[in-house]
């Protein structure tokens, strides 16, 4: 089972309500009732929390998205967690808005945060992919890094939290089947 949950995003208020920060938002929402005590270490904010009675570490890299691996790798090494025991929550432009998928292993698929983690720690980790769709028009980075209405973010955050609860209720393999068959 997992020992580390990583939510990807960019630090700072400028990026707080952007699609690229969905990993941060899902982690924050899932832990909100636990009132986590975030601490800084290894270029990230981390805390301990529980999911379905499982004690876990949570990490939000503060290195900016493209350098996420620079915070994740030392955290894994320090705690002696194998990369296979890590779940990364991130935005996914190759999925329709609101579609959630659970996947193990694989490449970065054009996601620079994943690319950095793979470069520093390897590719054998789980990913909770939160579909944000491609930019309807214009530049992808503008689309991902521009603030959007909370009313659009809330369902994504809720779906991400439900998927995380499912993973810890059923285990990753059964949850993968359930989550990946679910319609948007």
């Amino acid at each position: 089972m997992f020992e580390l949950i990583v939510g990807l995003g960019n630090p700072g208020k400028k990026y707080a309500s952007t699609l690229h920060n969905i990993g941060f938002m899902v982690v924050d929402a899932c832990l909100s009732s636990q009132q986590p005590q975030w601490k800084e270490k290894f270029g990230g904010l981390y805390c301990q929390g529980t999911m379905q009675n499982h004690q876990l570490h949570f990490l939000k890299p503060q290195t900016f998205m493209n350098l996420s691996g620079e915070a994740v790798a030392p955290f894994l090494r320090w705690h002696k967690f194998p990369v296979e025991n890590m779940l990364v929550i991130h935005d996914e432009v190759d999925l329709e808005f609101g579609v959630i998928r659970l996947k193990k292993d694989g490449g970065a698929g054009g996601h620079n945060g994943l690319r950095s983690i793979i470069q520093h720690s390897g590719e054998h980790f789980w990913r909770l992919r939160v579909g944000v769709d491609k930019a309807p028009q214009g530049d992808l980075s503008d689309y991902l890094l521009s603030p959007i209405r909370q009313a659009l973010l809330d369902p994504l955050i809720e779906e991400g939290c439900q998927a995380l609860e499912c993973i810890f209720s059923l285990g990753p393999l059964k949850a993968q089947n359930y989550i990946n068959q679910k319609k948007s």
Side-chain angles (χ1 to χ4, degrees):
M1 188 56 94
F2 302 115
E3 296 176 285
L4 174 62
I5 307 295
V6 177
L8 294 187
N10 285 309
K13 290 181 182 178
K14 177 181 178 182
Y15 302 105
S17 294
T18 66
L19 292 172
H20 222 24
N21 271 34
I22 198 68
F24 281 7
M25 290 183 257
V26 169
V27 165
D28 287 340
C30 290
L31 291 175
S32 64
S33 67
Q34 298 179 41
Q35 300 175 330
Q37 301 299 306
W38 293 98
K39 299 173 187 157
E40 278 191 68
K41 195 171 192 169
F42 305 119
L45 295 175
Y46 77 96
C47 72
Q48 290 185 312
T50 59
M51 294 291 301
Q52 300 287 330
N53 298 317
H54 295 273
Q55 279 282 45
L56 302 163
H57 288 77
F58 292 84
L59 176 67
K60 298 189 299 184
Q62 301 295 292
T63 53
F64 286 93
M65 182 68 77
N66 295 355
L67 303 174
S68 296
E70 293 179 10
V72 171
F75 195 89
L76 287 170
R77 280 193 303 272
W78 174 262
H79 291 282
K80 297 182 175 135
F81 294 154
V83 71
E84 295 84 5
N85 292 5
M86 174 174 70
L87 172 71
V88 176
I89 305 168
H90 65 90
D91 59 305
E92 179 60 68
V93 298
D94 289 331
L95 291 174
E96 290 178 30
F97 198 91
V99 172
I100 308 284
R101 294 293 180 257
L102 181 60
K103 174 183 176 181
K104 184 166 193 289
D105 300 341
H111 194 290
N112 290 329
L114 292 178
R115 180 174 290 117
S116 178
I117 293 170
I118 291 167
Q119 183 179 31
H120 288 86
S121 301
E123 63 185 24
H124 300 296
F125 56 92
W126 287 83
R127 302 107 193 270
L128 186 61
R129 305 162 63 218
V130 180
V132 298
D133 219 340
K134 291 184 176 13
Q137 57 189 356
D139 185 60
L140 180 61
S141 62
D142 285 344
Y143 171 69
L144 293 174
L145 298 174
S146 296
I148 68 166
R149 293 189 336 259
Q150 195 64 40
L152 293 173
L153 288 172
D154 286 343
L156 290 179
I157 295 166
E158 178 64 27
E159 285 290 323
C161 286
Q162 288 177 6
L164 205 52
E165 290 286 337
C166 179
I167 292 165
F168 284 93
S169 294
L170 302 177
L173 294 176
K174 286 182 181 176
Q176 184 178 29
N177 289 333
Y178 177 77
I179 292 167
N180 293 355
Q181 291 176 9
K182 200 172 172 187
K183 302 286 184 218
S184 60

